[in-house]
Amino acid sequence: MAEEPAGPGRVLWEPPRAWAEASNLAAFMRWLAERRGLDFDGYAELWRWSVERLEDFWGALAEYFEVRFDAPPERVLASRAMPGARWFEGARLNYAEHALRRPDERPALVYRSEDGGREALTRAEVAARVARARAGLRRLGVGRGDRVAGFLGNSPEAIVSMLATASLGAIWSSCPPEFGAASVLDRFRQIEPKVLVATDGYPYNGRFHDRREVLAGIAAALPSLAAVAVLPRAGAAPELAGAISFAELVAEPEPLAFEPVPFDHPLWILYSSGTTGLPKPIVHGHGGILLEHLKKLALHTDLSPGDRYYWYSTTGWMMWNYNVSGLLVDATVVIYEGAPAWPDLMRQFRLIDEERIGYFGTSAPFLLACRRAGISPRAELALDSLVGIGSTGAPLPVEGFEWVYEHVKPEVWLGSMSGGTDVCTAFVGSCPLLPVRAGEIQSIALGVKAEAWDETGRPVIDEVGELVIAAPMPSMPVFFWGDPDGRRYRESYFETYEGVWRHGDWIRFDREGRSVIYGRSDSTLNRGGVRIGTSELYSAVETVPGIVDALAVDTGALGREGELWLFVVLAEGTALDEALAGRLRSTLRERLSPRHVPDEIRAIPEVPKTLSGKKLEVPIKRILTGTPVERAVNLGTLANPRSIEALLAAIG
């Protein structure tokens, strides 16, 4: 392959022909040809069929993955209306049964913790633990439709508790123990859990955090609780009414069984970030998540039985659920509890060698932090087991792609992807049949009719527009908890375009289906009619020596230009003087446009971010346009709450 110039769109990796032909996606295409008489000339044709013939595609997927229906569906898609699409009506199944349907001696789960802990479990051992937890929950009165809440770190106990809950037809929801009590209660009070499974402490950043007092406060503020099962790690268990130990919960064996539930029966409740107001409790169904995760993990991530699959997450991010679903495809799921960068950023890469990880999932902010820190994992480690890297959580810019191929592994398959908690998956992401190009997402996912729409509601190609989903997906929310008439659900996605899902991202597609995400559309920088995403501005800003992070906010509203504020985090020993401010302005003028030179530049010690690492662009915009801080942002959802006070001081 001839060397291409550096920059956007440059091909960084192409799938070797034999590798692509051996992929699960290629096998699925051969199966469609043999069983359905469908021959597709490449991925683009397959994708087009998958969105034009939704019933055929999702029905074929269920058959291909041998989904076990206790009762078969009357039809695949009874109504295409959004919201309200009706999938696989009449079908009965259980997500947990598919995660545990082969309880043999193959490795299922490897747990690693920051403090050196390690535990490995076979598929049979996971199933046995789930059976015990299921029996314990039944003794506590948990049944179909009840909510079980987890205040747990990323541990085997969290996975076992979730699967046991699902096996009963009960509904799981979790928060990580680093959440403040107010953030936990903002979530759990809405769903009124019957049982709380909780840890009383967790390791992070080199020390143990005792959460006994916080746990006691949470339990006391949830009157719906019949019992609390405590995983004791901090010493003496807290005095809680109705408390038992986790060991007591799983003390008695019982044969493992699975409650058959309707296709759209609630499986788990995830939450929007809750940076403003109460988090939205997003309910996903057994069948929709099962089919979506089988599709994404097997066909788009190319996971096969025995592959070692890891995505760094906490139990408060949808990627935890996505990681656990590796059990559906018989992969060995690796989980990690602790800080990703303790004692240093190389820790995550050392884990790849130590556990022979084949697919390593992380976030774009983590990869960019590695780039800024100047580390080079390939110089110190073998990384010979590593086949693929997944990146999500924020757009990965060109320089992030180039750093991976220069400093991690030149022949690795890098998949940037974007979707959301709303669907617990990605709309756009990896494809094992296509090349990887710098700064671009490889493909639109199968079964996802994703488009970019302009301000008139017209689909556009090679132009930036609103990301919309123009046809239903099985993993769209069943409903929001506590939203009986569906008003909050409709307002969240369907208020802008009737019957079409508006996701809130700013995206550009080319004719081949490749895409670039430019950030949230409500934080887009619209300067004199020239619109760009914040990710473009950050890429430019971070080329300026002395800048390690940035936050950009345009105070303008639709049809009205406001001020462009740029907040920068400086490298140690750097001052925001006139010379540095001048370099910033000239860089933005040259790389973006004269209209994107900021009106105000202020130094801050750190960028305010959510617990999942997302920058608080929209809440800060609201603060700058006059919204009181207490209404603009929920401090309990932030990874660094004190950063708001520092930013307010910088505003003056």
Side-chain angles (χ1 to χ4, degrees), residues 65-80:
F65 286 111
E66 299 178 346
V67 170
R68 292 181 180 176
F69 293 111
D70 285 78
E74 295 161 10
R75 62 175 298 177
V76 172
L77 183 56
S79 168
R80 293 174 61 110

Side-chain angles (χ1 to χ4, degrees), residues 466-510:
E466 288 273 5
L467 172 60
V468 304
I469 310 302
M473 295 169 56
S475 71
M476 285 177 172
V478 178
F479 55 87
F480 287 174
W481 197 268
D483 183 32
D485 61 359
R487 180 181 59 84
R488 197 179 183 198
Y489 183 14
R490 289 191 300 274
E491 288 175 351
S492 296
Y493 311 111
F494 300 103
E495 198 170 50
T496 304
Y497 308 112
E498 182 69 29
V500 174
W501 175 295
R502 173 188 173 272
H503 193 61
D505 278 342
W506 204 234
I507 195 168
R508 174 178 55 80
F509 290 106
D510 68 11

